[in-house]
């Protein structure tokens, strides 16, 4: 994948720890504040980038992505950060690259619609939202080049911190075994990018296994996982 030299790369993380490393690489930095979101603009590896901390959850993420698109017109938006593993082969520090995203907490089941159905304002609908294939290919190549154990597949987002094997099983039963990880923002960002026809990707590193140990693992391993994701994104930026 190749971007033009002036194409802006948008990067969104939920928490400060997920964007800190990339902020440290930003040269010629200046900041723009829109509401409670701060957008850090500058250069990484000769590419113009805009980085923002969205805050946790789908609404924060959606507003951050929409503000970024309307104000800065990025050519691509990448959501980075940490995640809980749903695929049993993923352990702490491993990486998941999204080919697609679902909103696992979106449920009109009583009305007869399949779980996760997204009804767009133009009356189209889908459940599994594809990300940009070239972006996913480049993220996967970047992660693999660092020797990180990396799986592609679906990421599942919802406004809930998953820490229960029954909930893990419920998400995979509803959306299939290609769901690799759960987190709380990625699908909201993909959703906004689908609304605005902006290329997007999601890159996550595992901080916990979304099970009964997640409350302990998440604070213990978030820094390591966030650093892995940021390292991958740096290679991605240098490669596009
Ligand atoms: N982000 C990191 N771990 C998570 C989990 N277990 N559930 C939801 N989001 C997460």
């Amino acid at each position: 994948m190749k971007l033009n030299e002036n194409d802006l790369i948008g990067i969104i993380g939920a928490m400060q720890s997920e964007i800190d490393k990339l902020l440290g690489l930003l040269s010629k930095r200046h900041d723009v504040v829109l509401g409670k979101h701060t957008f850090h603009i500058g250069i990484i590896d000769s590419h113009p980038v805009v980085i923002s901390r969205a805050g946790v959850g789908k609404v924060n993420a959606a507003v951050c992505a929409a503000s970024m698109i309307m104000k800065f017109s990025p050519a691509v938006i990448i959501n980075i950060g940490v995640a809980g593993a749903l695929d049993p082969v993923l352990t702490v520090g491993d990486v998941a690259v999204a080919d697609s995203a679902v909103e696992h907490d979106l449920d009109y089941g009583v009305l007869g619609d399949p779980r996760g159905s997204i009804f767009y304002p133009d009356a189209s609908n889908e459940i599994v939202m594809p990300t940009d294939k070239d972006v996913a290919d480049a993220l996967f190549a970047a992660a693999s080049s660092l020797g990180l154990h990396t799986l592609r597949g679906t990421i599942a987002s919802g406004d809930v911190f998953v820490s229960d094997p029954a909930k893990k099983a419920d998400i995979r039963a509803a959306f299939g075994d290609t769901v690799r990880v759960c987190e709380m923002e990625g699908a909201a960002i993909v959703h906004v990018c689908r609304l605005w026809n902006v290329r997007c990707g999601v890159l996550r590193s595992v901080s916990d296994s979304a099970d009964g140990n997640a409350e302990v693992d998440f604070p213990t391993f978030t820094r390591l996982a966030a650093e892995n994701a940021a390292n991958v994104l740096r290679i991605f930026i240098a490669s596009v």
Side-chain angles (χ1 to χ4, degrees):
M1 173 187 175
K2 277 287 163 219
L3 293 176
N4 294 322
E5 62 179 358
N6 291 327
D7 282 348
L8 183 65
I9 301 174
I11 300 166
I12 297 177
M15 302 178 295
Q16 194 64 29
S17 59
E18 294 172 317
I19 61 167
D20 258 347
K21 175 141 195 170
L22 293 162
L23 285 180
L25 301 172
L26 205 56
S27 63
K28 300 192 177 155
R29 171 174 161 175
H30 72 279
D31 296 347
V32 173
V33 177
L34 294 174
K36 283 194 191 291
H37 285 119
T38 300
F39 295 87
H40 311 283
I41 296 135
I43 307 282
I44 297 178
D45 283 317
S46 347
H47 281 286
V49 301
V50 52
I51 303 174
S52 188
R53 180 178 81 183
V56 175
K58 293 196 303 172
V59 174
N60 281 327
V63 172
C64 185
S67 300
M68 183 180 274
I69 290 168
M70 284 188 277
K71 182 75 179 172
F72 304 105
S73 303
V76 56
I77 294 181
I78 313 288
N79 172 227
I80 58 159
V82 304
L86 297 184
D87 190 313
V89 311
L90 289 174
T91 56
V92 164
D94 290 349
V95 172
V97 171
D99 290 315
S100 59
V102 294
E103 294 176 41
H104 70 75
D105 59 350
L106 188 51
D107 194 349
Y108 309 91
V110 292
L111 303 178
D113 297 304
R115 174 115 163 249
S117 294
I118 293 164
F119 297 103
Y120 291 110
D122 64 0
S124 62
N125 67 84
E126 64 188 345
I127 297 173
V128 179
M129 297 177 285
T131 58
D132 185 279
K133 185 179 177 310
D134 293 341
V135 171
D137 287 348
L139 289 171
F140 183 79
S144 305
S145 77
L146 288 177
L148 295 165
H149 180 218
T150 306
L151 291 185
R152 295 173 70 141
T154 303
I155 60 110
S157 309
D159 282 322
V160 58
F161 184 85
V162 178
S163 57
D164 173 11
K167 186 68 190 165
K168 293 176 65 166
D170 163 65
I171 295 170
R172 283 192 125 202
F175 297 99
D177 285 349
T178 57
V179 179
R180 307 297 183 199
V181 294
C182 62
E183 38 81 304
M184 301 175 68
E185 298 83 21
I189 292 168
V190 176
H191 187 149
V192 171
C193 288
R194 303 281 288 159
L195 288 167
W196 287 88
N197 201 22
V198 173
R199 304 174 79 177
C200 68
V202 184
L203 166 74
R204 294 280 177 160
S205 178
V206 170
S207 56
D208 58 83
S209 291
D211 56 12
N213 298 322
E215 296 97 306
V216 175
D217 290 346
F218 174 79
T220 308
F221 297 116
T222 280
R223 185 147 288 283
L224 165 86
E227 186 146 338
N228 276 358
N231 287 338
V232 173
L233 199 63
R234 187 180 186 182
I235 304 277
F236 167 88
I237 294 169
S239 76
V240 293

